[in-house]
Amino acid sequence: PAQPLLISHGARGGRPARVLAAIPVERNETAADERVRWGRSPTGPALRAVHEGPCDRLPETYARLSAWMAVHGFEPAGVSWEQYVSNPATTTAEERVTHVYVLLADPG
C-alpha cells in the first residue's frame, strides 16, 4: 500500500499555510463529504530529500533542502509534501524514514 502524505500549501499574501493529510488511493469510489475530500497530489518537477530520524527534526531537513535549492538556483512553487515511508507502530523514531518533496516553480 502507498504511504500517507502531508501536503503543505505555503503561506502567500498574508494567508496562512494550508496543510492537508492525504492517503493515496487507486480511484474515487465513494462520495466526498465535509470531512473527506478527493483530490490529486501535486504534480510537476520536484526535489526530494530523504529524512532519517524523528519527525521533530524535519525542520532541519527542510532548512538543508532550502539552502541547497538556493545555492543551485531552484525556486520553490509554494507546495511541499512529506511521504511517511516507515510505519511508526513498528519503527523506532531514530529509524524512521520520511521523504520530503518540494515542488519547483516554473522557470519560464
Side-chain angles (χ1 to χ4, degrees):
Q3 296 92 3
L5 305 169
L6 180 98
I7 303 169
S8 301
H9 295 267
R12 290 187 199 173
R15 293 182 312 186
R18 189 178 76 173
V19 178
L20 305 169
I23 299 173
V25 295
E26 291 278 331
R27 58 186 168 186
N28 175 3
E29 293 187 4
T30 61
D33 67 24
E34 289 181 19
R35 296 172 296 162
V36 177
R37 291 184 293 170
W38 298 100
R40 297 198 179 273
S41 55
T43 60
L47 291 176
R48 179 184 78 167
V50 177
H51 172 83
E52 296 177 351
C55 289
D56 64 355
R57 291 202 314 246
L58 275 165
E60 298 167 20
T61 298
Y62 276 99
R64 288 196 321 267
L65 183 56
S66 180
W68 188 93
M69 289 173 59
V71 167
H72 291 88
F74 289 98
E75 290 290 327
V79 178
S80 63
W81 62 98
E82 299 166 8
Q83 181 179 32
Y84 302 104
V85 177
S86 302
N87 181 343
T90 59
T91 309
T92 67
E94 290 299 323
E95 295 175 324
R96 288 188 191 138
V97 175
T98 305
H99 291 176
V100 175
Y101 295 87
V102 174
L103 189 66
L104 298 176
D106 184 1

